[in-house]
Amino acid sequence: MATSNPYSWLTKSLDTIKKAHWYRQVKTIDSLPGSTININGKTLINFASNDYLGLAGDPRLQQAAISAIKKYGTGSTGSRLLTGDRPLHRELENAIASLKQTEDAIVFSSGYLANMGTIPALVGGKDLVLGDEYNHSSLKNGAKLSNATIIDYKHNNMTDLEQKLQENRSKYRRCLITTDTVFSMDGDICPLSELIELSQNYDCMVLVDEAHGTGVMGKNGAGVVEYANCTGKPLIQMGTLSKALGSLGGYIAGDKILIDYLRNRASTWIYTTGLSIPDTASALEAIKIIKNEPERRAKLWQNVAYLKEILKNFKLLPSESAIICLPLKSAEEALKVAEICQNEGILAPAIRPPTVPTSRIRFSVMATHDYEQIKMLEKIVNKIQ
Ligand SMILES: *Cc1c(COP(=O)(O)O)cnc(C)c1O
């Protein structure tokens, strides 16, 4: 009998991906995270990091993790509801609630898991999820897992959202509106006040994903909710510990009753091991630094302004954040420009479909970049004009 290979389709599928210039590979970084990093023995200026405040390599976060490990070990050994809970977890949750000015918070093992657990806990088969079309994968997949009806509205388009609410809201029991606050692959932000007003008119819950807002946006680094003067509004605020906080993990901040409910219903919190000890301790230290060192945020915004100045002859995508995108015609061209950058000692990734509808080079700015490092972008500007 001829043996067929049930895995042969994988090769074909990968070939298709390669032909479309959509193929991806990991780049191994062999150094501390920071404004410069080493890849394949070469030092590159890093415009590809989510570590906006430069905390992932900070000695204080390292020390916090080491001290916590010495006291509690490395793993948390079980679900938070069984043997996985440590005093550090609650300290971190209180610190997040204090930063966000909410009654309480709950930490998950990643931001992705926070969305994948929270959305299905809040809505089900009788309910509606209305999400921005550019939302992060974790919001989209969380909605799918919930069995709710999913309708996407046009990116940041509140007229379209209202129309979809008008047409559909009454057919469903509960409705949840979901949006990134800072759109991770574009750098623009959601019109939060308007969105909250609509949610109140149509009796909807709102989940905002502050992955790229926390630590960065707002006077105290509490995120776009603070930046847009929406502190205290009835929101479900999600975020991650793995971007500006330089650690790993995710959270939901909100009313006490919401958090208590999630501890009882969010399966990605109940049926997974509690956040690891070093991740918990370093995130807690990061929140202290975010509160005590506002000068880091000030430097970040100076750097963002300087980078925009250097790229002023290009038509950039609209951005109010530390993410600046240079749109390009094709995936091929984006890859070419990323290669030019890399040859000039600059790491800035090509972002391509299917992650985004149109290709671009994405620069993310750090507080720990100095002007000389940003000025290096002038060299590439001259080469691609
Ligand atoms: C990174 C990111 C997440 C996932 O967070 P992790 O902690 O990395 O799992 C969720 N939402 C958005 C918008 C993100 O950018």
Side-chain angles (χ1 to χ4, degrees), residues 55-327:
L55 293 178
D58 190 287
R60 292 168 290 180
L61 270 71
Q62 294 177 22
Q63 193 50 55
I66 291 165
S67 304
I69 286 172
K70 293 222 162 117
K71 192 162 180 189
Y72 295 114
T74 46
S76 54
T77 76
S79 160
R80 290 278 298 283
L81 292 174
L82 294 171
T83 57
D85 196 53
R86 304 289 177 278
L88 275 176
H89 288 122
R90 217 33 215 154
E91 258 184 82
L92 175 58
E93 288 168 342
N94 288 336
I96 293 167
S98 158
L99 176 69
K100 300 276 168 180
Q101 296 192 42
T102 56
E103 286 178 359
D104 204 354
I106 178 172
V107 292
F108 291 74
S109 299
S110 79
Y112 211 111
L113 286 173
N115 280 335
M116 290 293 278
T118 300
I119 298 171
L122 296 173
V123 287
K126 295 179 182 153
D127 305 319
L128 174 65
V129 176
L130 276 162
D132 188 290
E133 62 179 334
Y134 286 4
N135 273 350
H136 188 260
S137 157
S138 55
L139 287 171
K140 294 195 173 203
N141 281 332
K144 278 188 201 160
L145 193 62
S146 77
N147 269 330
T149 299
I150 302 168
I151 302 177
D152 280 357
Y153 60 88
K154 290 197 189 110
H155 177 52
N156 275 349
N157 187 328
M158 294 299 103
T159 312
D160 190 45
L161 173 58
E162 174 148 38
Q163 203 175 337
K164 287 181 166 144
L165 281 165
Q166 239 164 26
E167 272 168 34
N168 300 287
R169 175 68 188 94
S170 61
K171 297 181 220 159
Y172 298 92
R173 183 184 58 172
R174 296 196 279 264
C175 176
L176 175 69
I177 301 172
T178 63
T179 184
D180 286 19
T181 58
V182 174
F183 285 86
S184 53
M185 294 299 140
D186 296 76
D188 54 350
I189 67 173
C190 73
L192 190 58
S193 297
E194 267 182 88
L195 190 144
I196 292 173
E197 202 179 309
L198 276 180
S199 74
Q200 290 173 336
N201 294 344
Y202 287 87
D203 186 29
C204 306
M205 303 179 283
V206 179
L207 190 161
V208 290
D209 181 334
E210 291 263 45
H212 294 271
T214 300
V216 176
M217 304 294 298
K219 187 165 164 287
N220 299 296
V224 171
V225 172
E226 182 188 25
Y227 177 78
N229 286 321
C230 294
T231 306
K233 299 268 180 176
L235 288 170
I236 300 160
Q237 300 184 50
M238 174 274 170
T240 172
L241 309 174
S242 56
K243 288 174 178 145
L245 302 189
S247 178
L248 178 69
Y251 65 82
I252 298 282
D255 289 349
K256 250 187 168 43
I257 189 140
L258 167 75
I259 304 305
D260 202 25
Y261 176 80
L262 291 177
R263 278 192 289 261
N264 287 277
R265 279 285 180 270
S267 57
T268 62
W269 187 81
I270 300 169
Y271 300 106
T272 197
T273 302
L275 188 64
S276 87
I277 309 298
D279 289 324
T280 309
S282 51
L284 182 58
E285 184 65 24
I287 290 186
K288 287 178 192 160
I289 295 172
I290 279 169
K291 283 194 172 168
N292 295 334
E293 297 180 3
E295 61 272 21
R296 282 179 180 264
R297 265 187 305 287
K299 183 68 169 64
L300 176 67
W301 295 117
Q302 283 170 16
N303 284 348
V304 167
Y306 187 54
L307 187 142
K308 283 182 175 166
E309 171 65 24
I310 297 270
L311 298 179
K312 67 174 183 292
N313 291 333
F314 293 93
K315 199 169 159 37
L316 302 170
L317 297 184
S319 164
E320 275 182 73
S321 70
I323 299 163
I324 315 286
C325 290
L326 173 64

